[in-house]
Amino acid sequence: MALDGIRMPDGCYADGTWELKMHVTDLNRDVSLRVTGEIHIGGVMLKLVEKLDVKKDWSDHALWWEKKKTWLLKTHWTLDKYGIQADARLLFTPQHKLLRLQLPNMKHMRVKVNFSDRVFKAVSDICKTFNIRHPEELSLLRKPRDPKKKKKKLEEAEEEALELEGPLLTPGSGSIYSSPGLYSKTMTPTYDSRDGSPLSPTSAWFGDSPLSEGNPGILAVSQPITSPDIVVKMYKPQSLLDKAKINQGWLDSSRSLMEQDVKENEVLLLRFKYHSFFDLNPKYDAIRVNQLYEQAKWAILLEEIECTEEEMMMFAALQYHINKLSIMSSENHMNNSEKEVDEVDAALSDLEITLEGGKTSNTLGDITSIPELADNVKVFKPKKLTLKGYKQYWCTFKDITISCYKSREEAHGTPAHQMNLRGCEVTPDVNISGQKFNIKLLIPVADGMNEIWLRCDTEKQYAQWMAACRLASKGKTMADSSYNLEVQNILSFLKMQHMNPDPQIIEPITTDINPECLVSPRYLKKYKNKQPGFVRDLISARILEAHQNVAQMSLIEAKMRFIQAWQSLPEFGITHFLAKFQGGKKDELIGITYNRLIRMDASTGDAIKTWRFSNMKQWNVNWEIKMVTVEFADEPSLAFICAEVDCKVVHEFIGGYIFLSTRAKDQNESLDEEMFYKLTSGWV
């Protein structure tokens, strides 16, 4: 027997080689190779392919180390450098695998995704395939499990999946966008100049993207909910704790799908993760706008976000209007009334939503002086066991401060109360039919939060004071260019809610309205004691009445208004996590938004204290005890332990929002991926 063939007791051979076991997934074969620790990964794969002797394109294959859950992608590294020994079992498997994605419109697609890329990069490639700009706002989420369902049902099997064979192997080839993260004024508009609907030719939506071979309608065109059963079967969070549990499912953006135990053909949810929609432009974002609209629509129907009955009817009317226009544009696209392109461009320009609130074509006011507000406003400071109501003051709003005087004549003296609104929480409390226009303020103080309510008499007064409060909470004055737009948006939002409080039904409504598909179950239950036919007619009448306020809108304008109204809701953009604060005895909630952290009561959702990112010095994580610590410039540090969720998820939300705040329209380079990882990973 040759000397090199002698196997020693430790498994090595006399010549220093040893057997490396590998499994080839495509062929379902186990293969052993004689190797040394000095051979590099590229050499191992070359030897393996030669031994297999199968004519096949192996270029997408790589080695996966099961035990360590890591890809061996550095082909110049040796086995010794990776620490691989004879007890290791490696998989020789494709990097691109099929994944079933549920899009915000609840439709499923089968897409080939790189399972070796970090999730941030994989999502970027997915969005590039779908022509969705600003992929940094989206991520992948595991499907939440309904605790009421004991057995796991494959509901997805009922969905028709559009299979995209290998679109991500060459991401972005032929795309109409040079980079999904860039702002470009030369992009081809993707809306129709006549009615604001997405263009019908597939090339206008996707260029040479692989999707042009499929059905683009499920991405750029809203499809009505066809049956109430669809809404009933969907998982609905019953409490704030349920909402917090959903957020456990966000994947780690800094690790690959394979590292996070995602299997081939597994269902993942593609969702807008960060509620900071940069440069949302209807002219170029037909798909992005539609998917955002769909995510907002389902959030409202599944009661993931609270809204009043008047707001619900407004959302239902917009949804009904969008459904009608979508069906009309798909059935008879060429018979729409013509409008001048310039007029549509002007209207769409006024609808642009940016990080700072957008722009309008209105002439700027006098920028040499800061505008002020002065009016009679009712003020109320709620306290426990108090029956006192609102007290009227003469209030002046200068810069970011509200001063309250007992009368107008005393306005030059010392105010009875004064409030600095920087960093405060601003919450609307409006009932159009009851003529209630309240503004709830939670103002941070040294020992917690001061709660102040303002009551306005008219819609105009409310819009002016509400807009000023929102700007002041960000440290901005009414001199900011977004103030007038904010006032107009609030007035428009109120106008859409106008309706008679109790419409009289004289005869059954004969219409195509299906209220069970337009209104959340909670508002249907409100009329549970009435006859089903009467309930249907009553709600249909209210939706039709609200529809009169939006009937003249184009398709794209209606979707933008829906998104704007969604953004105006008090709970918009708050991502909840269960946490235990340092010094606290019970579990509470931490809410994270685009610009602040909120400590919340777990049972009521009331804000206890707010910290703004602009006041943050740094944040750290103790990975052993899963404690997040945040330090501020002029406040005590904040520390909390994450419950039922990896603190990495919370850390990524904070870093992600800070990363998004650095975006600018004039940036010439693509997004800085490494900066994202530094802000969100915690260990890079």
Side-chain angles (χ1 to χ4, degrees):
M1 180 182 288
L3 184 64
D4 63 0
I6 300 174
R7 184 165 180 164
M8 311 300 286
D10 61 357
C12 295
Y13 291 82
D15 60 355
T17 62
W18 42 273
E19 283 191 352
L20 176 63
K21 298 181 178 64
M22 288 175 284
H23 179 74
V24 183
T25 57
D26 284 12
L27 306 177
N28 196 23
R29 275 173 57 183
D30 290 318
V31 180
S32 294
L33 287 181
R34 290 270 296 275
V35 297
T36 67
E38 296 177 355
I39 188 171
H40 54 74
I41 298 299
V44 172
M45 292 194 292
L46 186 61
K47 274 190 168 188
L48 176 62
V49 170
E50 288 175 350
K51 187 170 183 177
L52 290 173
D53 194 25
V54 175
K55 289 185 178 181
K56 179 180 172 67
D57 182 5
W58 300 100
S59 60
D60 186 46
H61 284 60
L63 291 174
W64 167 256
W65 190 0
E66 276 188 312
K67 186 178 180 181
K68 296 289 186 180
K69 287 188 179 180
T70 185
W71 286 94
L72 310 180
L73 299 178
K74 296 177 180 177
T75 53
H76 59 286
W77 277 26
T78 63
L79 295 175
D80 282 345
K81 193 167 184 178
Y82 266 118
I84 295 172
Q85 298 176 348
D87 62 343
R89 183 174 184 268
L90 306 181
L91 293 185
F92 189 55
T93 187
Q95 297 174 69
H96 288 80
K97 301 176 186 291
L98 281 172
L99 194 65
R100 297 195 67 202
L101 290 181
Q102 188 196 68
L103 274 62
N105 63 357
M106 299 298 180
K107 297 297 180 183
H108 290 76
M109 286 187 150
R110 298 183 69 206
V111 185
K112 268 196 176 176
V113 181
N114 192 332
F115 273 53
S116 66
D117 270 344
R118 293 176 175 182
V119 166
F120 184 85
K121 177 67 166 57
V123 171
S124 180
D125 285 348
I126 290 168
C127 290
K128 191 176 290 187
T129 305
F130 293 165
N131 278 354
I132 297 175
R133 295 195 305 148
H134 300 294
E136 67 276 8
E137 298 168 359
L138 297 93
S139 192
L140 298 173
L141 177 70
R142 293 187 188 274
K143 196 166 187 179
R145 291 185 180 179
D146 190 341
K148 294 180 182 178
K149 293 184 179 179
K150 295 181 180 179
K151 294 181 179 179
K152 189 177 180 182
K153 295 181 180 179
L154 297 175
E155 296 175 0
E156 299 85 15
E158 300 173 5
E159 291 277 357
E160 293 183 5
L162 170 62
E163 186 167 352
L164 308 180
E165 287 293 346
L168 303 184
L169 294 176
T170 53
S173 60
S175 173
I176 59 172
Y177 306 128
S178 56
S179 169
L182 292 180
Y183 172 77
S184 172
K185 295 182 179 180
T186 60
M187 292 188 297
T188 307
T190 56
Y191 73 96
D192 186 87
S193 61
R194 289 165 296 194
D195 63 357
S197 63
L199 288 175
S200 56
T202 54
S203 60
W205 281 318
F206 304 105
D208 296 329
S209 160
L211 275 176
S212 59
E213 300 298 322
N215 177 15
I218 59 177
L219 290 185
V221 178
S222 174
Q223 295 184 338
I225 301 169
T226 54
S227 168
D229 293 339
I230 297 174
V231 180
V232 172
K233 289 178 182 178
M234 294 285 186
Y235 171 65
K236 301 175 189 66
Q238 300 299 314
S239 65
L240 286 170
L241 296 180
D242 287 344
K243 294 177 185 178
K245 287 178 182 178
I246 290 175
N247 292 314
Q248 298 174 16
W250 288 108
L251 294 187
D252 186 341
S253 297
S254 304
R255 296 194 296 152
S256 70
L257 293 169
M258 203 90 155
E259 290 173 74
Q260 300 180 69
D261 297 320
V262 176
K263 308 299 182 187
E264 186 169 10
N265 271 319
E266 186 173 332
V267 176
L268 291 178
L269 279 54
L270 180 68
R271 293 291 185 271
F272 288 87
K273 176 179 181 178
Y274 300 104
H275 290 73
S276 176
F277 314 128
F278 183 67
D279 183 32
L280 188 61
N281 192 325
K283 292 169 68 176
Y284 313 121
D285 287 328
I287 296 168
R288 184 170 166 228
V289 167
N290 186 61
Q291 294 302 319
L292 252 179
Y293 157 71
E294 289 284 348
Q295 185 161 326
K297 177 183 80 177
W298 283 106
I300 288 160
L301 287 177
L302 300 179
E303 299 171 6
E304 293 173 8
I305 187 168
E306 295 289 327
C307 64
T308 65
E309 186 172 357
E310 288 170 336
E311 289 165 345
M312 178 59 72
M313 295 306 160
M314 176 200 63
F315 283 122
L318 280 169
Q319 193 183 333
Y320 170 65
H321 186 62
I322 290 166
N323 291 346
K324 279 182 62 178
L325 292 184
S326 298
I327 293 169
M328 286 169 56
S329 62
S330 60
E331 287 180 350
N332 195 5
H333 188 80
M334 299 307 293
N335 293 333
N336 293 299
S337 58
E338 295 192 4
K339 298 179 182 178
E340 290 296 326
V341 177
D342 293 344
E343 291 178 2
V344 175
D345 281 345
L348 291 172
S349 296
D350 286 349
L351 280 170
E352 287 186 21
I353 301 173
T354 66
L355 196 64
E356 297 302 324
K359 65 176 186 178
T360 64
S361 54
N362 296 337
T363 306
L364 287 175
D366 181 9
I367 59 174
T368 59
S369 62
I370 297 176
E372 299 174 2
L373 290 175
D375 210 341
N376 286 310
V377 178
K378 296 182 180 70
V379 181
F380 174 50
K381 186 173 183 180
K383 294 180 181 178
K384 291 181 180 179
L385 304 176
T386 181
L387 297 174
K388 292 183 179 179
Y390 286 88
K391 187 175 180 180
Q392 185 161 297
Y393 288 92
W394 178 258
C395 296
T396 62
F397 203 137
K398 297 180 181 180
D399 295 328
I400 58 173
T401 302
I402 296 178
S403 301
C404 303
Y405 303 90
K406 292 183 178 179
S407 66
R408 184 172 187 174
E409 290 70 27
E410 297 181 19
H412 297 291
T414 303
H417 305 287
Q418 200 163 40
M419 299 168 276
N420 186 304
L421 268 56
R422 183 187 294 272
C424 76
E425 282 286 305
V426 184
T427 307
D429 180 20
V430 176
N431 185 314
I432 300 292
S433 58
Q435 288 295 293
K436 183 176 77 171
F437 305 105
N438 291 350
I439 302 169
K440 293 183 180 180
L441 302 174
L442 280 173
I443 303 170
V445 291
D447 58 346
M449 305 288 277
N450 271 346
E451 187 172 3
I452 304 290
W453 295 7
L454 306 179
R455 170 165 284 185
C456 300
D457 293 325
T458 65
E459 291 184 16
K460 184 177 180 182
Q461 184 190 35
Y462 167 79
Q464 291 173 337
W465 283 77
M466 181 54 131
C469 288
R470 283 178 176 168
L471 285 175
S473 71
K474 304 174 187 177
K476 297 178 181 180
T477 71
M478 286 173 275
D480 191 88
S481 59
S482 63
Y483 173 70
N484 288 331
L485 175 67
E486 184 70 22
V487 172
Q488 293 304 315
N489 283 342
I490 294 170
L491 287 171
S492 175
F493 184 56
L494 295 175
K495 183 181 177 183
M496 286 192 292
Q497 297 178 58
H498 276 284
M499 61 181 68
N500 293 327
D502 295 305
Q504 299 296 317
I505 309 257
I506 300 173
E507 56 186 32
I509 301 288
T510 54
T511 179
D512 55 348
I513 287 186
N514 193 350
E516 294 89 348
C517 298
L518 303 174
V519 176
S520 71
R522 184 174 61 161
Y523 288 105
L524 292 171
K525 290 176 185 175
K526 180 180 176 182
Y527 303 100
K528 62 182 178 181
N529 295 327
K530 299 183 183 294
Q531 295 179 0
F534 179 81
V535 172
R536 184 184 178 90
D537 287 348
L538 179 64
I539 297 177
S540 296
R542 294 200 65 178
I543 294 173
L544 282 176
E545 190 172 3
H547 180 252
Q548 295 173 8
N549 298 321
V550 301
Q552 302 306 314
M553 292 182 183
S554 68
L555 180 58
I556 196 75
E557 184 184 358
K559 288 180 183 178
M560 291 294 288
R561 290 296 184 193
F562 195 103
I563 295 168
Q564 282 184 326
W566 176 47
Q567 290 176 301
S568 299
L569 295 176
E571 291 184 5
F572 169 78
I574 302 177
T575 306
H576 302 89
F577 297 97
L578 196 62
K580 184 169 284 186
F581 287 83
Q582 197 170 40
K585 295 181 180 179
K586 61 179 182 178
D587 285 343
E588 298 176 78
L589 288 174
I590 184 83
I592 303 178
T593 74
Y594 77 97
N595 64 352
R596 65 195 186 279
L597 298 171
I598 312 167
R599 183 176 182 174
M600 308 173 76
D601 186 289
S603 56
T604 63
D606 292 340
I608 300 170
K609 188 167 175 59
T610 299
W611 299 268
R612 300 193 80 81
F613 290 156
S614 57
N615 200 30
M616 186 191 298
K617 286 171 61 179
Q618 64 177 19
W619 75 101
N620 304 294
V621 178
N622 184 326
W623 299 105
E624 292 183 7
I625 62 174
K626 296 186 176 181
M627 177 176 279
V628 180
T629 305
V630 188
E631 295 182 19
F632 299 93
D634 52 7
E635 292 185 74
S637 62
L638 163 69
F640 58 90
I641 294 175
C642 302
E644 298 187 2
V645 65
D646 194 326
C647 58
K648 172 67 173 65
V649 179
V650 177
H651 183 279
E652 186 173 309
F653 262 93
I654 297 172
Y657 272 124
I658 291 172
F659 173 76
L660 296 188
S661 69
T662 64
R663 297 178 294 180
K665 276 191 175 183
D666 58 353
Q667 78 186 58
N668 296 317
E669 300 178 4
S670 59
L671 289 169
D672 188 345
E673 263 187 63
E674 290 308 312
M675 178 59 71
F676 176 85
Y677 297 134
K678 285 179 182 177
L679 287 170
T680 59
S681 298
W683 52 72
V684 176

